[in-house]
Amino acid sequence: MTTVVRDDLSDAHRRSLAHVVSPGARLTGEQRRRIAEVAIEAYLSAAPTPPWVRPFGDPALDLAYRLGRHAGTITKDWYEQIVTEGMHPVEWVEVVGVVIAALPPVAFARAIGAPLPALPPAVPGPPTGREADELAPARLNFVPVAAPADRMPSVVQALSAVPDDWNNLWQLAEAQYMSDRAMDDPLWNRGTLSRPQMELVAGRLSLIRECFF
Amino acid sequence: MLSWSSHEDGTPADVLALASGDGDAGLPHGAALMAFAEAIAGWDDTVLAGARARLVAEAGEAFMIDAAAVAANFEMMTRVADGTGAQHAPDVMTRVVGLAEALGMAAPHADGPP
């Protein structure tokens, strides 16, 4: 069977993987690519290490692994431990941005039974330094966010410290789920699943992942 | 979102079916959709292949592809939430805590990240 995927969805996934391997706010393309490799390995592993094991002894890679496979076990205490070890909070946000950019194309391909996409080669160059103009501690997230904090829902402001990763998140969401504008329309659909059917898939998967969002 | 959209859509869904995965939640292809979502969240590729084939047989390939896209989106959004300690605002919390308990989930925190 030849599976036909919407062009906008294929393009969004392609853009996301290109984003993964490009220099980020604080990390090089090479570092981001390695983080993505680890997250994908964790996501697909037949025998993952337990959540409390740090398989790499490297804060960024250990975070990538845990987020890739055991995301629901990440706590504020663990975040603070990693930051105490020297990871800057904005780097934590960037690692989250890399992992959530790398996994959807893989998860989607696995779901539809297509070959898993390969990561492109890393784009050379130094980190871009592009971060929010002003950061603020948030009450609704344990990571810092673009100021002013807590004026929007926690999942919306979550990656706002790193605008390029924030933009990638929402370009993926628009192709995979729906645009911001469509969110308020309970009847919006693409002509396949109805909105309630979309929410059924979202709700069942989120519940299994033990995530109330 | 499921409760709201299904009411507006005229097909009120059984939200509690999310917890058990049993039945069809009152929606067309509901059982096949929940089985597909569950298989994507699991790690058994044979189970996933079976759930995929069932959904394609019931609703067609384009339907399965869009269901997979939604699942991929929530593999993403759950990690955004978990990786940044995302919590509901207090006014939202009062509405969702009862639902969380009904679904057998730990009540979300109202006073900031755990």
Side-chain angles (χ1 to χ4, degrees):
Chain A
M1 180 177 77
T2 303
T3 306
V4 180
V5 178
R6 285 185 273 119
D7 286 345
D8 67 311
L9 184 54
S10 298
D11 289 346
H13 285 165
R14 204 167 18 248
R15 280 194 297 271
S16 193
L17 293 179
H19 170 73
V20 163
V21 298
S22 298
R26 289 179 176 251
L27 300 167
T28 65
E30 195 62 53
Q31 288 172 313
R32 289 167 60 95
R33 191 178 193 281
R34 179 65 185 134
I35 286 164
E37 282 178 342
V38 166
I40 292 168
E41 174 197 328
Y43 179 70
L44 297 172
S45 176
T49 59
W52 57 87
V53 171
R54 292 179 58 178
F56 297 95
D58 174 297
L61 298 183
D62 290 336
L63 169 56
Y65 194 93
R66 193 162 179 175
L67 190 58
R69 189 54 178 258
H70 304 297
T73 70
I74 294 175
T75 62
K76 184 181 182 187
D77 284 348
W78 196 64
Y79 163 75
E80 288 173 343
Q81 178 190 331
I82 297 291
V83 168
T84 300
E85 289 176 17
M87 179 187 278
H88 192 283
V90 174
E91 184 180 337
W92 173 291
V93 179
E94 184 173 346
V95 173
V96 174
V98 171
V99 172
I100 65 93
L103 290 188
V106 173
F108 174 75
R110 175 176 174 264
I112 68 169
L116 302 184
L119 288 170
V123 175
T128 65
R130 275 196 294 275
E131 299 178 6
D133 291 340
E134 186 184 348
L135 295 174
R139 196 164 155 272
L140 299 179
N141 300 83
F142 56 54
V143 296
V145 300
D150 301 329
R151 300 279 178 88
M152 55 179 108
S154 54
V155 289
V156 178
Q157 71 177 3
L159 301 188
S160 59
V162 280
D164 292 345
D165 292 291
W166 190 91
N167 287 335
N168 185 63
L169 164 65
W170 298 109
Q171 72 92 16
L172 279 173
E174 182 162 349
Q176 295 176 147
Y177 182 50
M178 67 188 75
S179 70
D180 238 15
R181 297 173 301 285
M183 284 287 289
D184 291 335
D185 179 0
L187 304 182
W188 184 89
N189 65 76
R190 298 182 188 278
T192 51
L193 283 74
S194 67
R195 179 72 185 272
Q197 287 170 322
M198 294 172 75
E199 300 303 340
L200 186 67
V201 171
R204 183 67 184 144
L205 187 133
S206 299
L207 190 136
I208 293 168
R209 292 276 178 258
E210 299 182 355
C211 180
F212 193 72
F213 282 86
Chain B
M1 295 294 258
L2 173 60
S3 177
W4 167 68
S5 64
S6 66
H7 267 279
E8 295 293 323
D9 191 53
T11 54
D14 173 13
V15 177
L16 297 184
L18 288 175
S20 66
D22 296 333
D24 61 7
L27 297 176
H29 310 303
L33 280 169
M34 282 202 287
F36 189 48
E38 193 170 326
I40 292 168
W43 314 108
D44 186 329
D45 287 345
T46 304
V47 172
L48 176 56
R52 181 192 312 125
R54 175 184 173 188
L55 190 57
V56 170
E58 279 193 24
E61 187 184 74
F63 190 95
M64 179 277 290
I65 285 174
D66 280 350
V70 172
N73 198 66
F74 283 83
E75 289 283 34
M76 177 176 78
M77 295 309 299
T78 54
R79 286 174 172 81
V80 170
D82 289 333
T84 65
Q87 296 295 313
H88 288 295
D91 60 320
V92 176
M93 187 63 56
T94 57
R95 299 201 302 269
V96 300
V97 71
L99 177 60
E101 287 168 0
L103 291 171
M105 303 182 74
H109 297 261
D111 298 319

